[in-house]
């Protein structure tokens, strides 16, 4: 935690500029409000989402080594806004960092582009916005920035698998509380944490094209459980979870055979609301499940 | 010595009542196990408490259970650590640490016989048998044993380390939604034979596992089994290796899993970032514009995605041509796409798999990026030894 200016090499990922454009937009607004400077890696490529690694592990490792090398060129640590990017990139980084011979082999493919991924003495840092917010920005500093406390808003955390498992790979040794950061952020913003069964479960997105029934049953069950626990909304640091929990929510409702209708916010949107940004500029009107209830709950609290 | 409270999910079928929670006070060293806490309760408080156990040393695989919601072995989880986790979880939702108790439940995804004893037959053993968990060599058997190079067996040392405890099955989030899923334990066992150089029916095995709609393409890639496994088998990693091998065989599966994978890989080669609408189209109907006719399932899936797309257009989420029309997604700027293509060329020539479990991490960091010989990890060596013993 520091009081200083934070500047990061920013990898927005693919989905935040595809089917969840509101995520990319709200991150820019929130970064501005928090004074975090984002140096966008616009030449970087898709993390592979685990799918490319399933096809050819070396290909996934090299593609991500390229992204890391591009970040290293800026001299900054890297930040992402997608649990899936975090997981897929951490997996590749773990292999690259484990063995210098393997790293040298992968770097061969990058040499033609004047790039090279170096493990470095202190290791390369790549953090999801959630981790950066708690570990580098700091919860006390965040609290001090809140102008519209989310008083009375009941928020269910939804992490996304890739940011909570496997613990051994994702830095839980050094940062054991990474699996309760969402709860800590919700509390820091003045909101109320809702405890329900699905917070660290799978949204089902990875099999949406392969086994739609299983996928939507997972999404529908978690949304339903959160509603039953009294949630006003969910919050997630993963745009792929958002696709299944929000975009597919009407379809998931059919599979679990019950009414749903629960707002699902991206993490920067929840932070943005507490920092005084308006729902519309945070792109909340682009969601499929209405965010009207959240806006109503907060209407009484002046920004 | 310290005092702990354990909260156990109990069930006695003969009572005719449903399951219920019961709390017990225990007194033991923090370094002792959750299983020790249960055995102390059984000894001092209630002899009817049912728990399956034997070795108490994470070898026999009998005491699978859920501790604070996490699947694992009772004998491998220290009570002090379990208490710390319970306090952390309680604190996260605004409760006070004094109220935190260690929550112990029977394994998930299995019927409960009594208290913490589950019936592993239908969701574990039946699925293990489902994958033909024995060697299928061809030709006349050798006079004595099959001889293989030790190096050729290294690849399967990880799944060999399995002790059949069922913790991965208990944790499986895909099986929770689809009980028909073959599941992590059985699929890890399947890779153990697919990767065995003595087995002669690798191809048949891969076809069987890929063509089952509840097979390798039913895994949601959630890593729950990886964290649950007390022996570092990483079942999900073995499932991904099965997918890779099935893909190399060009096996078409009813879940369009292989088509999805190929579509994804090709899109990134062409565009650098994901073109979501093209991914959908190519996953279900590869080459729709040219050669292949989409299957009945593909047409159904594509029609099924129309309501979602319409909703997306209405809210503005997808109100742009590059998001709607497959293929017109932008490329990376200023030659960056060529850099990505060059990576594909290099990686496709080698297609190297770096298995951390076998190779381990370098002990000492040598001079920057100096090549070194890989060293066999201790765990891989131990697993190879235990299988041969």
């Amino acid at each position: 935690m520091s009081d200083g200016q934070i500047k990061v090499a920013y990898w927005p990922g693919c989905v935040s500029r595809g089917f969840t454009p509101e995520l990319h937009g709200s991150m820019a607004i929130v970064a501005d409000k928090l004074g975090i400077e984002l140096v966008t890696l616009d030449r970087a490529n898709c993390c592979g989402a685990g799918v490319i690694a399933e096809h050819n592990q070396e290909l996934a490792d090299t593609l991500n080594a390229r992204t890391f090398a591009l970040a290293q060129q800026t001299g900054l640590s890297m930040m992402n806004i997608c649990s899936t990017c975090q997981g897929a990139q951490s997996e590749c980084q773990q292999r690259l960092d484990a063995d210098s011979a393997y790293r040298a082999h992968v770097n061969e493919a990058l040499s033609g582009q004047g790039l090279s991924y170096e493990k470095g003495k202190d290791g390369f840092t790549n953090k999801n916005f959630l981790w950066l917010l708690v570990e580098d920005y700091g919860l006390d500093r965040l609290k001090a920035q809140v102008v519209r406390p989310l008083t009375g808003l009941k928020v269910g955390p939804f992490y996304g698998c890739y940011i909570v498992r496997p613990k051994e790979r994702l830095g839980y040794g050094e940062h054991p509380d990474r699996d309760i950061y969402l709860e800590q952020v919700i509390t820091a913003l003045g909101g109320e944490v809702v405890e329900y069964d699905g917070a660290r479960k799978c949204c089902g997105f990875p099999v949406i094209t392969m086994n739609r029934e299983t996928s939507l049953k997972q999404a529908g069950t978690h949304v339903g459980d959160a509603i039953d626990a009294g949630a006003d909304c969910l919050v997630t640091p993963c745009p792929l979870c958002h696709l299944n929990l929000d975009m597919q929510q009407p379809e998931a409702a059919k599979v679990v055979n019950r009414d749903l209708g629960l707002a699902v916010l991206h993490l920067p949107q929840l932070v943005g609301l507490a920092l005084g940004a308006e729902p519309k500029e945070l792109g909340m009107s682009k969601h499929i499940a209405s965010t009207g209830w959240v806006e109503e709950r907060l209407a009484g609290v002046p920004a | 010595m310290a005092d702990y409270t354990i909260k156990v999910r109990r069930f006695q079928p003969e009572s005719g009542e449903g399951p219920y929670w019961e709390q017990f006070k225990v007194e033991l060293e923090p370094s002792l196990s959750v299983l020790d806490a249960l055995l102390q309760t059984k000894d001092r408080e209630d002899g009817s408490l049912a728990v399956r156990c034997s070795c108490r040393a994470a070898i026999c695989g009998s005491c699978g259970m859920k501790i604070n919601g996490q699947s694992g072995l009772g004998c491998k989880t220290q009570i002090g650590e379990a208490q710390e986790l319970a306090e952390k979880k309680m604190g996260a939702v605004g409760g006070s640490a004094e109220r935190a108790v260690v929550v112990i439940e029977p394994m998930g995804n299995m019927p409960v016989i009594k208290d913490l004893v589950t019936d592993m037959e239908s969701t574990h053993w039946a699925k293990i048998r489902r994958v033909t968990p024995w060697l299928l060599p061809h030709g006349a058997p050798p006079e004595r044993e099959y001889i293989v190079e030790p190096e050729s067996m290294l690849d399967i040392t990880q799944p060999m380390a399995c002790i059949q405890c069922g913790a991965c099955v208990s944790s499986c989030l895909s099986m929770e939604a689809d009980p028909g899923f073959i599941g992590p334990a059985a699929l890890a066992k399947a890779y153990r034979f697919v990767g065995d150089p003595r087995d002669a029916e690798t191809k048949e095995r891969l076809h069987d596992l890929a063509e089952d709609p509840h097979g390798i393409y039913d895994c949601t890639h959630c890593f729950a089994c990886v964290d649950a496994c007390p022996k570092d088998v990483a079942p999900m990693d073995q499932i991904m290796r099965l997918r890779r091998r099935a893909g190399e065989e060009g096996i078409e599966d009813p879940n369009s899993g292989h088509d999805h994978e190929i579509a994804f890989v090709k899109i990134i080669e062409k565009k650098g970032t994901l073109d979501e609408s093209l991914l959908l189209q190519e996953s279900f109907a590869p080459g729709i514009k040219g050669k292949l006719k989409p299957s009945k399932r593909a047409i159904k899936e594509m029609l099924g995605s129309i309501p979602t797309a319409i909703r997306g257009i209405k809210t503005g989420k997808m109100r742009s041509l590059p998001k709607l029309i497959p293929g017109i997604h932008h490329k990376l700027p200023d030659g960056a796409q060529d850099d990505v293509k060059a990576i594909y060329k290099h990686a496709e020539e080698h297609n190297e798999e770096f298995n951390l479990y076998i190779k381990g991490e370098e002990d000492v960091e040598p001079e920057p990026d100096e090549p070194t010989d890989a060293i066999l990890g201790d765990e891989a060596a131990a697993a190879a030894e235990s299988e041969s013993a």
Side-chain angles (χ1 to χ4, degrees), chain A residues 275-299:
Chain A
L275 298 182
E278 290 310 316
K280 196 164 167 32
E281 60 175 328
L282 295 168
M284 281 163 58
S285 57
K286 286 197 164 69
H287 292 197
I288 300 302
S290 167
T291 57
W293 175 243
V294 174
E295 292 167 37
E296 228 171 89
R297 294 298 301 261
L298 295 178

Side-chain angles (χ1 to χ4, degrees), chain B residues 185-238:
Chain B
L187 289 173
K189 179 61 78 185
Y191 187 78
R192 185 248 167 277
F193 291 100
V194 163
D196 193 314
R198 299 167 296 178
D199 198 88
E201 302 211 7
T202 306
K203 219 176 188 168
E204 291 78 0
R205 288 179 188 274
L206 288 168
H207 270 276
D208 174 43
L209 299 167
E211 287 163 4
D212 185 329
H214 303 285
I216 53 177
Y217 293 106
D218 206 10
C219 163
T220 64
H221 209 274
C222 73
F223 297 97
C225 58
V226 177
D227 269 7
C229 178
K231 291 293 181 187
D232 291 333
V233 171
M236 195 198 90
D237 289 358
Q238 312 314 321

Side-chain angles (χ1 to χ4, degrees), chain B residues 323-339:
Chain B
K323 283 178 201 169
L324 274 176
I325 302 178
I328 63 167
H329 187 79
H330 60 89
K331 285 187 181 175
L332 295 179
D334 312 326
Q337 196 58 50
D338 293 333
D339 296 347

Side-chain angles (χ1 to χ4, degrees), chain A:
Chain A
M1 202 187 305
S2 80
D3 294 329
Q5 170 80 15
I6 296 176
K7 187 174 173 182
V8 288
Y10 171 49
W11 167 239
C14 304
V15 178
S16 80
R17 295 172 289 181
F19 284 177
T20 64
E22 67 279 0
L23 168 59
H24 189 40
S26 54
M27 186 64 237
I29 291 170
V30 165
D32 191 45
K33 284 189 181 288
L34 294 173
I36 297 174
E37 196 179 330
L38 305 177
V39 178
T40 306
L41 298 170
D42 57 0
R43 292 173 64 84
N45 45 260
C46 171
C47 71
V51 182
I52 293 184
E54 162 191 329
H55 175 74
N56 177 336
Q57 200 190 71
E58 184 187 337
L59 177 59
D61 290 349
T62 316
L63 285 169
N64 282 310
R66 176 175 179 273
T67 303
F68 302 155
L70 287 167
Q72 286 182 328
Q73 271 190 338
T74 67
L76 303 167
S77 293
M78 189 168 132
M79 184 186 91
N80 64 76
I81 49 169
C82 172
S83 296
T84 304
C85 289
Q86 183 72 61
Q89 289 174 335
S90 294
E91 180 178 334
C92 296
Q93 191 187 340
Q94 188 186 33
R95 285 192 288 266
L96 291 164
D97 287 352
D99 190 88
S100 50
Y102 182 61
R103 198 157 60 245
H105 170 71
V106 165
N107 274 331
E108 255 173 48
L110 303 178
S111 61
Q113 320 174 17
L115 291 174
S116 177
Y117 168 65
E118 306 297 337
K119 182 182 176 184
K121 205 157 58 70
D122 303 316
F124 172 66
T125 306
N126 172 28
K127 287 185 184 181
N128 184 279
F129 174 57
L130 175 65
W131 296 355
L132 183 109
L133 194 57
V134 177
E135 292 161 11
D136 300 289
Y137 194 83
L139 289 168
D140 289 334
R141 201 170 154 200
L142 176 65
K143 245 185 240 175
Q145 300 291 322
V146 171
V147 296
R148 176 167 46 202
L150 307 179
T151 314
L153 190 71
K154 294 185 179 131
V155 189
F158 196 95
Y159 282 84
C161 301
Y162 290 79
I163 206 171
V164 283
R165 289 179 294 268
K167 290 210 155 35
E168 165 268 333
R169 179 186 294 155
L170 293 170
Y172 279 80
E174 200 186 335
H175 304 285
D177 286 349
R178 282 184 169 175
D179 56 353
I180 56 166
Y181 281 179
L182 275 179
E183 282 88 341
Q184 293 177 347
V185 169
I186 293 165
T187 309
L189 300 176
E192 203 179 301
V193 175
V194 172
E195 204 184 351
Y196 72 108
D197 203 37
R200 291 162 194 82
K201 287 191 174 181
C202 179
C203 71
F205 183 78
V207 289
I208 185 71
T209 65
M210 298 182 230
N211 190 337
R212 195 167 183 269
E213 179 92 7
T214 295
S215 176
L216 294 177
K217 192 173 167 193
Q218 289 182 303
T221 303
H222 306 326
V223 171
D225 285 349
I227 292 172
D228 293 345
D232 294 320
C233 65
L234 292 179
V235 64
T236 180
C238 183
L240 290 112
C241 293
H242 197 269
L243 291 180
N244 241 33
L245 298 172
D246 175 70
M247 192 173 83
Q248 297 283 6
Q249 201 180 108
E251 301 298 314
K254 289 179 204 163
V255 172
V256 295
N257 198 23
R258 62 173 284 183
D259 284 337
L260 295 174
L262 182 69
V264 185
L265 304 191
H266 299 283
L267 175 63
Q269 288 176 325
L270 190 80
V271 176
L273 285 173
L275 298 182
E278 290 310 316
K280 196 164 167 32
E281 60 175 328
L282 295 168
M284 281 163 58
S285 57
K286 286 197 164 69
H287 292 197
I288 300 302
S290 167
T291 57
W293 175 243
V294 174
E295 292 167 37
E296 228 171 89
R297 294 298 301 261
L298 295 178
V301 191

